[in-house]
Amino acid sequence: QVQLVESGGGLVQAGGSLRLSCAASGRTFSNYRMGWFRQAPGKERDFIARIDWSGGSTYYADSVKGRFTISRDNARNTVYLQMNSLKPEDTAVYYCAAAPKTYGTYADWGQGTQVTVSS
């Protein structure tokens, strides 16, 4: 099991930026592909972005493509989500998650960090 702790959330005005971090511990970080998800009040948890074990491959949901960037530092056991040009509809609790690098679902999740974008 991988333990995940998100940080970096907060309140920001529309058009602003935030960088979320997710620190991993407990297992070899480079054995996992990582994802970011978010859940707005009253809505289901949605996929935002994912990155492979090496950082060489990324994929984004259409809603954030061109505005958000996922990256990772395996030496620091951390995955990041740089969020630019934030919109009020980006307001949600943001979660990172880990899945085995070759196959399998996201089985390990962090506790989430709140992002609020004011108009």
Side-chain angles (χ1 to χ4, degrees):
Q1 185 177 7
V2 180
Q3 288 77 48
L4 302 171
V5 179
E6 302 95 336
S7 61
L11 174 64
V12 64
Q13 289 188 332
S17 298
L18 282 175
R19 188 176 82 154
L20 305 183
S21 299
C22 172
S25 62
R27 294 291 176 92
T28 302
F29 184 60
S30 59
N31 285 341
Y32 292 86
R33 49 194 166 87
M34 301 297 296
W36 283 98
F37 297 75
R38 68 186 180 188
Q39 187 169 20
K43 296 188 177 181
E44 294 185 351
R45 188 173 300 185
D46 291 330
F47 165 80
I48 297 174
R50 66 172 184 253
I51 188 166
D52 74 351
W53 69 273
S54 69
S57 176
T58 59
Y59 182 80
Y60 298 91
D62 287 344
S63 59
V64 305
K65 197 175 299 181
R67 299 189 297 123
F68 290 11
T69 302
I70 188 171
S71 62
R72 67 189 293 161
D73 184 341
N74 285 347
R76 296 179 183 273
N77 295 340
T78 302
V79 61
Y80 304 98
L81 186 68
Q82 177 66 45
M83 306 186 295
N84 298 329
S85 303
L86 283 161
K87 305 175 181 179
E89 52 264 42
D90 294 318
T91 295
V93 178
Y94 284 69
Y95 300 89
C96 66
K101 70 177 182 180
T102 53
Y103 65 93
T105 60
Y106 291 100
D108 299 311
W109 293 80
Q111 83 291 346
T113 186
Q114 176 71 46
V115 172
T116 303
V117 184
S118 63
S119 58

